[in-house]
Amino acid sequence: MPVNCRGRSDTRPVTLCLREFFVSDNPCWNSTASIENLRRRAAIIAAIRTFFAEKDVLEVDTPVMSNGAVSDPYIDTIECRYQPLVGGEVELKYLQSSPEYAMKRLLASGSGAIYQISKAFRNGEVGRRHNPEFSMLEWYRPGFDHRRLMDEVAELLLPLLGLSEAVKYSYAQVFESHLGVDPHHADLDTLRGVAAEHIDSDYQDDNRDNWLNLLMSHVIEPRLASEGAVFVYDYPASQAALAKVSEDAQGRAVAERFELFVHGVELANGYHELTDAAEQARRFDADNRQRRSESLPERPVDHLLIEALEQGMPDCAGVAVGIDRLVMQAIGTDNIADVIAFPLPRA
Amino acid sequence: MANYSTNQFKNGLKVMIDGDPCSMVDVEFVKPGKGQAFTRVKMKNLMSGRTWERTFKSGESVEGADVMDTDMEYLYNDGEMWHFMDPKSYEQVAADQTAIGDAHLWLKEQDACQVTLFNGNPISVTPPNFVELEVVETDPGLKGDTAQGGSKPATLQSGAVVRVPLFIERGEVLKIDTRTGEYVSRA
């Protein structure tokens, strides 16, 4: 039985929510994850590297600290203070929330297929499945669309998770079958009404996508738990982020984006990547308008990404996978502290 | 009372929801990759005992509830109210039928128990996990029947009726698990 730094038998990490570590005043020095779990983690990461080596996908390493920050309104970047002259003026830099922009600039530089295993950082994200510093696997496949990439995601992840197959549903299908509502056309009042049937909250908002996200995370995700691995694809065009937008069979504008949920936990997010520089610039502007209207902090946009897209990025699909959550699922724990040695309070 | 923001939420935190004091049983941070952050809390209403899930937007705050679990000594029942005393301050409080709930079945004068106070008034009473109570009424015991199964009802000094083995006699003191209401052993 593990013994913690105060010499007591430490049986709690298995059940203790990460939040408890954050509100505790006396962090312990010892690892929250068992050494056995860290061995499993290392084996999974080794298997990922073997998978990509065999497919001739190049491992790359892009900066963790950068000049620009992510535009997504609901992802907040952690600032850091760089001093060109030690003790002199401070230049703000940003810890990356995902290596996406830099990897796309590599693609535009002619890298071909690439992958990266890196640290990513996000303000305020603390919980059973979140630590502000986490590990991400991200890869890009020139010539793939999001459908072909979904198959490769399944090929890599299912064996690591001990699963044999994944089901695929469109975003419209999961909303229609679990909530009886069309997510592409339902108006704000309808979504509010559906949410009120399932969720007790004082939440107020005029943004349709926020209601869709609330229903997805609170009602649909938990119900996907019984289905093992589930891909959800064809997101509403308004949730395209950095994905191409096209029309589905019903003529609806949909984002060529997918997410993978394993036992009800969001594990991967992928796109048939937007390559149009002008459209990318418009989306950055829209994100910043939304940040202003919601009084969220504005951060400098990464103009180098726009320039790279202007130069030309190959048509490709890309995906990000949360490594900590992958290991959690493989081990069978719902507590991120079981798979990382030192969550932020012990860092 | 102070207000608490979602980042201060933790298990056991007592807050006011719709006018009732509630306790947080389980706190979960929920955030879709591209969406807003929420905090989903399994909440227990301390007045009704009902548990349910409530969702808060990140940054939302709620008013704390002045709820305290206090170790007290049970004094007596006056026919309507149950009276308790804080052994440190000698302050006394009286719990009504709603606050006492089923706890009265296990109370013996001078026993210690936990009284939950909301704004200084008792809203619930938790007896010790194990209590020792005397049998005041039961059918005569069967001699030599200590091994065989079978049970009979026995009325205890507190008024509770529990199933006891056939060999138990009136006047014996029994150890009872108050969480299940079951006989454990002779005291």
Side-chain angles (χ1 to χ4, degrees):
Chain A
M1 181 164 293
V3 173
N4 73 15
C5 63
R6 285 186 270 285
R8 292 191 303 258
S9 289
D10 197 354
T11 54
R12 296 203 65 202
V14 182
T15 52
L16 196 58
C17 170
L18 187 59
R19 182 172 296 268
E20 304 288 336
F21 292 119
F22 278 74
V23 295
S24 142
D25 294 322
N26 295 305
C28 289
W29 56 263
N30 58 319
S31 169
T32 58
S34 69
I35 303 306
E36 173 55 25
N37 283 359
L38 296 180
R39 283 203 186 93
R40 302 265 309 262
R41 180 186 178 104
I44 286 169
I45 290 171
I48 293 169
R49 289 206 157 95
T50 303
F51 179 89
F52 287 114
E54 283 171 358
K55 288 177 177 269
D56 209 15
V57 177
L58 177 68
E59 179 166 13
V60 298
D61 188 3
T62 59
V64 163
M65 182 173 71
S66 62
N67 296 301
V70 72
S71 68
D72 296 61
Y74 299 128
I75 296 179
D76 196 50
T77 310
I78 299 177
E79 290 177 350
C80 49
R81 297 155 51 88
Y82 171 68
Q83 291 176 302
L85 181 65
V86 175
E89 277 184 35
V90 167
E91 285 179 17
L92 282 185
K93 305 290 175 192
Y94 302 90
L95 295 180
Q96 63 159 8
S97 61
S98 136
E100 179 162 15
Y101 298 172
M103 290 182 79
K104 286 181 170 175
R105 283 161 50 199
L106 267 179
L107 289 160
S109 305
S111 65
I114 48 175
Y115 81 99
Q116 176 162 208
I117 293 169
S118 66
K119 286 297 182 76
F121 301 83
R122 295 181 184 185
N123 262 330
E125 303 200 2
V126 175
R128 210 160 289 167
R129 296 171 185 167
H130 295 83
N131 187 52
E133 172 178 340
F134 60 103
S135 295
M136 202 176 236
L137 161 66
E138 189 149 328
W139 79 94
Y140 290 86
R141 286 297 222 159
F144 279 37
D145 64 6
H146 60 302
R147 290 169 187 278
R148 191 163 161 210
L149 188 58
M150 273 192 265
D151 292 337
E152 189 169 62
V153 169
E155 186 189 338
L156 169 63
L157 299 187
L158 294 184
L160 297 174
L161 294 164
L163 296 169
S164 53
E165 58 180 347
V167 289
K168 292 176 184 166
Y169 300 117
S170 72
Y171 194 87
Q173 276 175 323
V174 291
F175 270 78
E176 275 153 15
S177 63
H178 292 285
L179 296 170
V181 65
D182 173 358
H184 297 283
H185 295 115
D187 61 21
L188 201 55
D189 284 340
T190 307
L191 296 176
R192 265 198 200 109
V194 174
E197 282 173 35
H198 294 90
I199 302 162
D200 176 41
S201 179
D202 284 338
Y203 183 64
Q204 309 273 340
D205 205 279
D206 292 333
N207 180 332
R208 272 182 91 255
D209 289 305
N210 286 342
W211 288 97
L212 291 172
N213 272 321
L214 180 68
L215 289 167
M216 188 75 187
S217 59
H218 281 65
V219 187
I220 296 175
E221 272 182 37
R223 293 192 194 177
L224 297 179
S226 61
E227 296 195 65
V230 179
F231 284 101
V232 177
Y233 62 93
D234 281 359
Y235 275 64
S238 50
Q239 294 179 32
L242 302 189
K244 281 187 201 292
V245 171
S246 63
E247 274 189 6
D248 70 3
Q250 283 80 43
R252 298 179 289 215
V254 292
E256 294 189 328
R257 169 183 170 192
F258 67 85
E259 291 214 10
L260 171 64
F261 299 90
V262 175
H263 302 308
V265 176
E266 186 185 13
L267 206 59
N269 179 38
Y271 308 134
H272 187 194
E273 301 289 349
L274 182 67
T275 51
D276 178 337
E279 172 61 15
Q280 181 66 66
R282 276 194 292 277
R283 291 192 194 174
F284 276 165
D285 286 346
D287 281 347
N288 269 331
R289 271 200 307 282
Q290 189 182 345
R291 282 173 175 261
R292 277 193 292 278
S293 75
E294 297 188 26
S295 307
L296 296 166
E298 271 187 81
R299 311 280 191 207
V301 160
D302 191 344
H303 295 290
L304 298 178
L305 174 64
I306 307 280
E307 284 176 33
L309 295 182
E310 278 166 356
Q311 178 65 37
M313 183 176 84
D315 187 62
C316 64
V319 62
V321 176
I323 288 186
D324 309 298
R325 291 189 186 177
L326 171 64
V327 178
M328 285 163 67
Q329 292 287 330
I331 287 175
T333 174
D334 195 31
N335 185 358
I336 197 169
D338 288 341
V339 301
I340 52 180
F342 303 116
L344 185 56
R346 294 194 185 188
Chain B
M1 282 299 285
N3 279 323
Y4 295 95
S5 175
T6 49
N7 65 315
Q8 296 170 299
F9 286 8
K10 59 176 177 174
N11 295 356
L13 185 69
K14 312 285 196 301
V15 294
M16 296 298 297
I17 303 288
D18 299 331
D20 278 352
C22 297
S23 176
M24 295 189 181
V25 180
D26 190 44
V27 179
E28 174 100 79
F29 176 78
V30 181
K31 186 184 181 303
K34 300 287 178 191
Q36 285 174 310
F38 294 95
T39 302
R40 186 169 53 198
V41 182
K42 188 183 281 178
M43 202 74 91
K44 180 179 184 180
N45 183 315
L46 295 174
M47 303 300 279
S48 67
R50 182 175 86 101
T51 59
W52 84 107
E53 278 188 343
R54 187 170 170 93
T55 292
F56 300 85
K57 188 179 164 183
S58 256
E60 201 177 326
S61 63
V62 281
E63 189 193 348
D66 181 11
V67 172
M68 288 207 333
D69 292 327
T70 314
D71 291 324
M72 290 195 155
E73 184 182 313
Y74 171 57
L75 297 177
Y76 64 95
N77 167 236
D78 64 13
E80 189 186 350
M81 305 291 274
W82 285 260
H83 296 262
F84 298 85
M85 182 181 72
D86 183 333
K88 289 193 206 99
S89 66
Y90 303 110
E91 251 177 73
Q92 292 189 20
V93 296
D96 63 12
Q97 179 75 54
T98 316
I100 201 89
D102 287 337
H104 72 88
L105 291 171
W106 315 113
L107 293 181
K108 189 175 70 187
E109 288 168 14
Q110 281 152 38
D111 270 2
C113 46
Q114 195 178 67
V115 179
T116 303
L117 301 173
F118 170 49
N119 293 335
N121 300 312
I123 52 170
S124 73
V125 175
T126 311
N129 290 345
F130 298 100
V131 292
E132 292 179 0
L133 293 165
E134 187 185 330
V135 177
V136 294
E137 183 59 62
T138 192
D139 289 340
L142 294 172
K143 290 278 184 241
D145 198 16
T146 52
Q148 210 174 309
S151 66
K152 60 180 180 176
T155 307
L156 307 178
Q157 67 185 114
S158 57
V161 178
V162 294
R163 302 296 301 182
V164 301
L166 298 176
F167 56 80
I168 296 295
E169 304 274 9
R170 181 194 297 191
E172 285 190 86
V173 177
L174 307 182
K175 185 177 177 184
I176 308 293
D177 187 333
T178 63
R179 296 162 297 185
T180 57
E182 283 169 359
Y183 162 89
V184 178
S185 64
R186 285 172 165 150

